[in-house]
Amino acid sequence: MGRTLAEKVWDEHVVRSAQGEPDLLYIDLHLIHEVTSPQAFEGLRLAGREVRRPDLTLATEDHNVPTLDWDKPIADPVSRTQVDTLRRNAGEFGVRLHPLGDVEQGIVHVVGPQLGLTQPGMTIVCGDSHTSTHGAFGAIAFGIGTSEVEHVLATQTLMQAKPKTMSVTIDGSLPAGVTAKDMVLTLIAHTGTGGGQGYIVEYRGQAIEELSMEGRMTVCNMSIEWGAKAGLIAPDETTFAYIEGRPEAPRGADWEAAVAHWRTLVTDDDATFDKEIVLDASTMTPFVTWGTNPGQGVPLGGTVPAPEDFEEPNARVATEKALEYMGLTAGTPMRDIRVDTVFVGSCTNGRIEDLRLAAEVIRGHRVAAGTRLLVVPGSVRVRLQAEEEGLDLVFKEAGAEWRGAGCSMCLGMNPDQLAPQERSASTSNRNFEGRQGKGGRTHLVSVPVAAATAVRGTLSSPADLGPTTEGDD
Amino acid sequence: MDAFTTHTGVGVPLRRSNVDTDQIIPAVYLKRVTRTGFEDGLFAAWRNDPDFVLNRSAYAAGSVLVAGPDFGTGSSREHAVWALQNYGFKAVISARFADIFRGNAGKAGLLAAEVDDKVVQRLWEHLEANPGASVTVDLTSRTVRAGEGEEAIVDSFDIDDYTRWRLLEGLDDIGITLGHDADIAAYEAGRPAWKPATQHAR
């Protein structure tokens, strides 16, 4: 019987398999950042262990770094200690690090693909749940905890029980103005936050094939938000074109050998999945969340639901609590919700294509009075590329804040946070209570919705915008 | 890691589903470089509410958390497990755990016991009717027990065999894996040369 893509990649990485034990899986690339690694390095030090493969390990600073004054010492002493600890550990254990100020610094999941380190058929882990992003290239990529970070540092392997397989087929084409983000938010509302639990998911179908690599990364990024172990997409010409020529991509004969292998990384026609979901992209519309988990979403044209709309008792209680936290009344049209802050960035939507999309919507408009727009590139390379294209000027002329690279307001670990009761429209991945700052209220949205919302001050799509002021003077 | 066989302690009913790791410990508390001291961040936002279960004296010394389904979703932060342990929790009972949280719990020695949703409901009712009542989680027999007589709750819980064995023995994963060093070296010898590296021989 044939095998699925996920099974092929998994099988290629099994170092040891024994009855009654998890597989011992080889890890091709281990990405590291400052927040989930200090205790792992300390564990190595206490046990007198080394990093087995520093040449398969890459560190960057992203979660805890400021997006203003990044050339100055970090103001918060506790944050500074954590970043300094990573620098010391990288130096002591011989790990390549792209620190704040380095041209390759940025969000770990933006940096890997950008350097060409993320390639099809790999196993990639990081002490960060959004490691699933790298699945867009046909890799098995997933987040791990700090104990596992230490395990990978010491052994370059992980003990993992083989997950079940699921296919999510998205037929048809996305309508104009509807993005990969809307697609994945629609999917999560369909499955719930636990629907993918225990599965490696393969996204396939026409709408997936039609996505750019950036769009595919957005979809795979949010696999964890519906509980999947990992999400991946079969590599194709779009994938190869994205990788070719990047700094760490194979070259010459190596490139030919690599691509020849990558072409075999598809699910066989006679393979079967443990579960299958089919959705139609052509009926999808801009999608936004109203609640406090990523599954609590509705079309932008919809209204805030009521607890009685749900049959399951846990869902009713969750809805009640979410509405109270979010300060929303059932029945309110989503478009009537006023927003204080718009955040464009994160490993979900902080790549160059996202910034181009945002700039296209914003160009010639002004950010609404009383609304703040924060644009945070996913990496220094993305920032420099955007500046070369003049996108920074579009944002600044509209009244937005143009920042340095990092995770920023996605998780509110650095100073970029919401105030209590402040409401955001955010292109990031989580609307959990307090995620963007204590008491903050988050609506997850696509990049075009974020940009249009910044202009109107209420949840909006670009279709809601009036004519631009461009050329008026 | 200390071995885990059985534990009896005050049960804490947390009537919430989808308790994500940002609720268990918000990001601003993740800046420490140690494995201890995270109890101050545990459920930080909810602990401002005087009615929150851990703010009620009967439950304050809790060591067995009983929570709704999809516990530990979201971020991979193992700090969530440490915060629960630093506070004094030895076990969490839920109808469904997020994968990464369950993995982290197993590595750090916190028992994540998966039970039927009906068992969670019964435990909630029992613990709310009897604040400060104990719950026993017995890893040897994979059972959860609470109450006495006709009202007694006795049911089985799920945990994978390998994690159970490691917890019972208190084994260090890295030590086990390093025992397979020859297998790892053999695998490495067969890796294709075109696989990417972050450092290159000059």
Side-chain angles (χ1 to χ4, degrees):
Chain A
M1 199 182 71
R3 292 180 299 161
T4 65
L5 164 62
E7 287 165 330
K8 289 182 183 180
V9 179
W10 186 279
D11 293 348
E12 272 181 20
H13 291 85
V14 175
V15 170
R16 181 179 177 276
S17 189
Q19 188 66 33
E21 291 180 34
D23 288 344
L24 190 63
L25 212 57
Y26 199 79
I27 301 303
D28 288 323
L29 178 64
H30 186 193
L31 301 167
I32 282 176
H33 63 84
E34 72 277 17
V35 178
T36 56
S37 67
Q39 296 86 353
F41 281 111
E42 185 61 16
L44 290 187
R45 206 175 279 121
L46 289 171
R49 289 169 178 151
E50 310 250 290
V51 174
R52 183 183 179 96
R53 296 296 300 264
D55 61 326
L56 302 183
T57 311
L58 181 79
T60 186
E61 299 166 0
D62 55 5
H63 280 63
N64 197 358
V65 297
T67 56
L68 288 171
D69 298 327
W70 59 83
D71 50 341
K72 302 192 180 75
I74 298 174
D76 173 7
V78 193
S79 295
R80 194 167 63 230
T81 300
Q82 194 170 57
V83 170
D84 286 345
T85 302
L86 178 64
R87 292 175 188 179
R88 207 179 55 241
N89 287 332
E92 184 182 332
F93 289 93
V95 171
R96 170 172 159 191
L97 167 70
H98 294 299
L100 205 54
D102 186 280
V103 71
E104 301 296 352
Q105 179 262 338
I107 305 176
V108 66
H109 310 309
V110 177
V111 169
Q114 182 176 277
L115 283 169
L117 279 170
T118 301
Q119 297 174 16
M122 291 174 73
T123 46
I124 300 174
V125 296
C126 174
D128 187 280
S129 58
H130 292 111
T131 308
S132 57
T133 311
H134 305 264
F137 292 79
I140 290 182
F142 54 90
I144 56 178
T146 300
S147 293
E148 290 176 313
V149 170
E150 185 179 339
H151 193 281
V152 178
L153 287 173
T155 70
Q156 203 58 32
T157 64
L158 264 184
M159 289 197 204
Q160 290 286 316
K162 196 172 183 174
K164 293 175 284 186
T165 59
M166 191 196 301
S167 70
V168 171
T169 305
I170 311 210
D171 291 326
S173 293
L174 283 174
V178 184
T179 67
K181 181 66 163 288
D182 303 302
M183 183 192 280
V184 72
L185 286 173
T186 304
L187 169 67
I188 300 168
H190 176 82
T191 62
T193 55
Q197 221 224 290
Y199 293 94
I200 294 187
V201 176
E202 181 180 341
Y203 301 100
R204 52 210 314 238
Q206 185 185 343
I208 295 289
E209 288 163 21
E210 288 174 359
L211 291 177
S212 65
M213 286 315 295
E214 284 88 347
R216 294 179 190 186
M217 284 189 256
T218 302
V219 171
C220 288
N221 172 274
M222 292 192 70
S223 300
I224 186 67
E225 308 309 338
W226 58 292
K229 174 81 185 175
L232 77 180
I233 294 171
D236 59 9
E237 297 307 322
T238 304
T239 320
F240 309 149
Y242 182 95
I243 297 170
E244 191 170 14
R246 291 191 180 264
E248 303 295 352
R251 289 175 203 285
D254 279 348
W255 173 257
E256 300 304 325
V259 172
H261 180 64
W262 296 345
R263 287 190 196 283
T264 69
L265 299 177
V266 290
T267 292
D268 296 327
D269 289 340
D270 56 344
T272 54
F273 292 91
D274 296 308
K275 187 172 178 184
E276 300 190 20
I277 293 177
V278 180
L279 293 176
D280 178 5
S282 66
T283 61
M284 291 182 186
T285 61
F287 211 83
V288 296
T289 64
W290 52 266
T292 54
N293 73 54
Q296 291 176 320
V298 289
L300 175 65
T303 58
V304 176
E308 351 13 311
D309 296 346
F310 300 87
E311 285 192 10
E312 209 261 313
N314 280 324
R316 278 193 182 197
V317 175
T319 302
E320 240 166 64
K321 288 190 166 157
L323 294 185
E324 189 192 334
Y325 180 85
M326 292 293 290
L328 292 174
T329 311
T332 306
M334 294 306 292
R335 275 193 165 85
D336 287 356
I337 296 173
R338 178 153 283 286
V339 164
D340 307 301
T341 289
V342 175
F343 172 64
V344 174
S346 85
C347 58
T348 313
N349 282 125
R351 287 169 286 267
I352 188 67
E353 183 182 83
D354 298 307
L355 300 192
R356 285 178 189 144
L357 253 181
E360 193 182 305
V361 175
I362 293 271
R363 196 184 298 275
H365 290 286
R366 294 280 310 166
V367 174
T371 300
R372 141 174 100 135
L373 169 60
L374 205 63
V375 185
V376 183
S379 70
V380 175
R381 290 277 183 205
V382 170
R383 180 169 61 82
L384 296 176
Q385 175 72 32
E387 288 175 359
E388 202 178 301
E389 296 177 18
L391 306 184
D392 59 320
L393 299 178
V394 175
F395 295 125
K396 286 187 219 165
E397 278 165 15
E401 296 176 42
W402 175 245
R403 296 293 190 90
C407 299
S408 179
M409 194 179 269
C410 173
L411 85 165
M413 191 162 178
N414 77 349
D416 307 339
Q417 298 181 17
L418 296 179
Q421 276 84 58
E422 192 178 344
R423 188 178 298 279
S424 81
S426 178
T427 66
S428 57
N429 41 58
R430 288 188 177 136
N431 51 343
F432 298 153
E433 289 183 21
R435 170 79 178 181
Q436 298 190 291
K438 196 172 179 179
R441 295 161 168 172
T442 303
H443 296 274
L444 299 179
V445 300
S446 70
V447 168
V449 168
T453 299
V455 172
R456 280 169 52 93
T458 49
L459 289 177
S460 303
S461 73
D464 301 324
L465 298 184
T468 69
T469 56
E470 212 159 59
D472 281 5
D473 47 19
Chain B
M1 190 168 78
D2 295 334
F4 189 115
T5 48
T6 183
H7 171 78
T8 300
V10 172
V12 177
L14 182 63
R15 274 198 189 258
R16 288 238 181 199
S17 55
N18 273 300
V19 177
D20 57 76
T21 53
D22 276 81
Q23 300 323 305
I24 301 173
I25 184 165
V28 289
Y29 291 93
L30 307 184
K31 296 177 184 177
R32 283 193 197 90
V33 295
T34 61
R35 273 182 188 251
T36 55
F38 291 101
E39 65 275 12
D40 62 345
L42 180 67
F43 300 127
W46 295 343
R47 271 159 89 184
N48 289 332
D49 172 4
D51 292 332
F52 180 61
V53 64
L54 285 181
N55 291 334
R56 295 170 58 192
S57 57
Y59 300 110
S63 62
V64 180
L65 187 68
V66 184
D70 294 318
F71 187 85
T73 55
S75 157
S76 64
R77 58 189 71 163
E78 194 164 317
H79 311 65
V81 171
W82 303 335
L84 286 161
Q85 290 181 310
N86 293 165
Y87 182 90
F89 284 103
K90 305 290 183 201
V92 182
I93 297 172
S94 172
R96 191 160 61 186
F97 291 95
D99 277 329
I100 303 178
F101 179 87
R102 186 177 38 216
N104 288 343
K107 305 288 179 201
L110 176 76
L111 177 64
E114 197 164 296
V115 299
D116 193 275
D117 194 45
K118 290 191 193 80
V119 179
V120 171
Q121 299 287 345
R122 287 184 66 204
L123 286 169
W124 279 347
E125 284 162 20
H126 173 72
L127 295 171
E128 284 166 356
N130 306 280
S134 289
V135 175
T136 296
V137 275
D138 185 338
L139 184 56
T140 315
S141 62
R142 294 185 212 231
T143 44
V144 49
R145 291 191 297 274
E148 286 174 357
E150 285 187 11
E151 302 292 302
I153 301 162
V154 182
D155 219 305
S156 61
F157 66 79
D158 285 336
I159 184 166
D160 70 89
D161 292 339
Y162 187 77
T163 302
R164 174 175 173 269
W165 169 70
R166 275 189 43 255
L167 287 171
L168 286 171
E169 303 289 330
L171 292 175
D172 162 27
D173 252 359
I174 297 177
I176 299 172
T177 300
L178 288 176
H180 304 308
D181 189 58
D183 293 328
I184 301 173
Y187 181 89
E188 284 178 326
R191 291 180 81 235
W194 47 260
K195 287 265 187 178
T198 59
Q199 298 181 28
H200 308 279
R202 285 159 208 238

